[in-house]
């Protein structure tokens, strides 16, 4: 039954993940964290950060890792195949017919209508990650870190992989500090 759930979860992602990886990430999150509870939000966030540092399509990397975590090697193969089979089938069907209908108004309208949907899905996921960062680091550190990363991306054109790699190194090298005494009692 576990293999069937893995297949269905990632098949849905493969079928509905219009727009590639960015469109698939919120769908994978919904299936893996909310529906089947194979991972926590924190684990998914960590996995997403790690997957973004590796080359290749994000959906298959996430499917492979999650499939392996849930059900070993067979689960990994199952999840990856479930992710790519819809794309293969749809590419064969769509590419064979798209050239004849690409200028039809409803096709152009459908394509234009999908863009804001994917944008909103990404915005919701971004807000959820921002809120988790705020809870973990506090407002000041989250805002400063967000501003620095935005400047590095937008104005200095630093590659996202470099920033993620540096942040992973900082996290690995950072010394854990003991939690502050919140009771206010002195000894």
């Amino acid at each position: 039954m576990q293999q069937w759930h893995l297949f269905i979860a990632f098949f849905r992602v493969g079928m509905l993940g219009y727009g590639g990886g960015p469109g698939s990430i919120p769908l994978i999150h919904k299936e893996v964290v909310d529906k089947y509870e194979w991972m926590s939000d924190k684990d998914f966030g960590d996995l997403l950060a790690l997957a973004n540092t590796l080359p290749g399509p994000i959906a298959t990397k996430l499917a492979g890792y999650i499939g392996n975590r849930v059900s070993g090697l067979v689960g990994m193969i199952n999840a990856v195949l479930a992710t790519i089979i819809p794309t293969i089938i749809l590419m064969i069907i769509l590419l064979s017919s798209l050239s004849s209908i690409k200028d039809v108004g409803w096709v152009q309208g459908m394509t234009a209508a999908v863009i804001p949907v994917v944008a909103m899905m990404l915005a919701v996921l971004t807000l959820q990650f921002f809120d988790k960062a705020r809870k973990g680091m506090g407002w000041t550190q989250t805002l400063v870190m967000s501003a620095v990363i935005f400047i590095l991306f937008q104005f200095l054109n630093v590659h996202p992989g470099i920033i993620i790699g540096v942040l992973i190194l900082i996290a690995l090298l950072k010394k854990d500090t003991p939690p502050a005494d919140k009771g206010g009692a002195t000894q």
Side-chain angles (χ1 to χ4, degrees), residues 65-78:
Y65 178 85
I66 294 164
N68 186 56
R69 180 175 171 164
V70 171
S71 189
L73 181 63
V74 174
M76 177 185 70
I77 294 169
N78 183 9

Side-chain angles (χ1 to χ4, degrees), residues 36-139:
Y36 292 107
E37 298 177 350
W38 290 323
M39 301 179 93
S40 68
D41 273 331
K42 181 186 180 315
D43 289 342
F44 186 81
D46 292 344
L47 174 60
L48 184 59
L50 178 62
N52 276 315
T53 64
L54 301 171
I58 189 94
T60 53
K61 289 183 285 190
L62 292 174
Y65 178 85
I66 294 164
N68 186 56
R69 180 175 171 164
V70 171
S71 189
L73 181 63
V74 174
M76 177 185 70
I77 294 169
N78 183 9
V80 170
L81 285 175
T83 303
I84 64 173
I85 286 172
T87 304
I88 292 169
I89 293 169
L90 289 174
M91 289 295 288
I92 292 168
I93 294 169
L94 289 176
L95 290 178
S96 63
S97 62
L98 188 61
S99 62
S100 64
I101 62 169
K102 67 180 179 188
D103 295 325
V104 177
W106 68 268
V107 173
Q108 292 176 341
M110 180 182 71
T111 304
V114 168
I115 293 170
V117 172
V118 171
M120 285 310 300
M121 289 169 53
L122 287 172
V124 168
L125 190 61
T126 300
L127 288 173
Q128 289 173 347
F129 281 131
F130 185 80
D131 188 49
K132 287 180 185 112
R134 177 195 57 81
K135 289 176 183 173
M137 296 186 305
W139 277 110

